[in-house]
Amino acid sequence: ATLVSGIKTIMVLSNIPDELRSADWVITGEGSFDYQSLRGKVVSGIAEIASQFNTRLAVLAGQVTVPQHEYRKLGIITAIPCRTNNMPLDYALKNCRALLRSAAQQFSKEHLA
């Protein structure tokens, strides 16, 4: 057996590098966008390949705990949380679709308008 990077394998199999050649933005997500997300998870893999094509990257996440100055080092333009700091987790889980829609609308207003 050979140990390989999961995200790199999936990106190649799903043809993501070719898709990013002509993309203006790539939007990815995490349940929790934290420091682990910056090392070896989907977000870090997408950030690596997006930077090769000068494709801007946004993260929509249940919660965002990485400071802006940290995620910007990887070329991530914005990270938008679905759950605010004071929002109870139970509420966020029950209303996740509406909260994700709201985060996507915020992204659209701030970056696509």
Side-chain angles (χ1 to χ4, degrees), residues 40-57:
K41 291 181 78 179
V42 172
V43 171
S44 63
I46 296 290
E48 182 181 326
I49 197 143
S51 69
Q52 294 173 14
F53 299 106
N54 295 318
T55 303
R56 291 169 285 186
L57 176 58

Side-chain angles (χ1 to χ4, degrees), residues 34-78:
D34 54 26
Y35 281 99
Q36 278 189 316
S37 304
L38 302 179
R39 295 176 206 60
K41 291 181 78 179
V42 172
V43 171
S44 63
I46 296 290
E48 182 181 326
I49 197 143
S51 69
Q52 294 173 14
F53 299 106
N54 295 318
T55 303
R56 291 169 285 186
L57 176 58
V59 176
L60 303 183
Q63 65 181 6
V64 174
T65 60
V66 179
Q68 183 182 52
H69 71 275
E70 290 294 326
Y71 65 72
R72 287 266 174 110
K73 291 177 187 177
L74 282 179
I76 299 167
I77 304 299
T78 189

Side-chain angles (χ1 to χ4, degrees), residues 82-84 86-96 98-99:
C82 296
R83 178 181 176 219
T84 61
N86 297 323
M87 184 183 296
L89 179 59
D90 287 346
Y91 177 87
L93 293 172
K94 289 178 185 172
N95 296 282
C96 61
L99 294 170

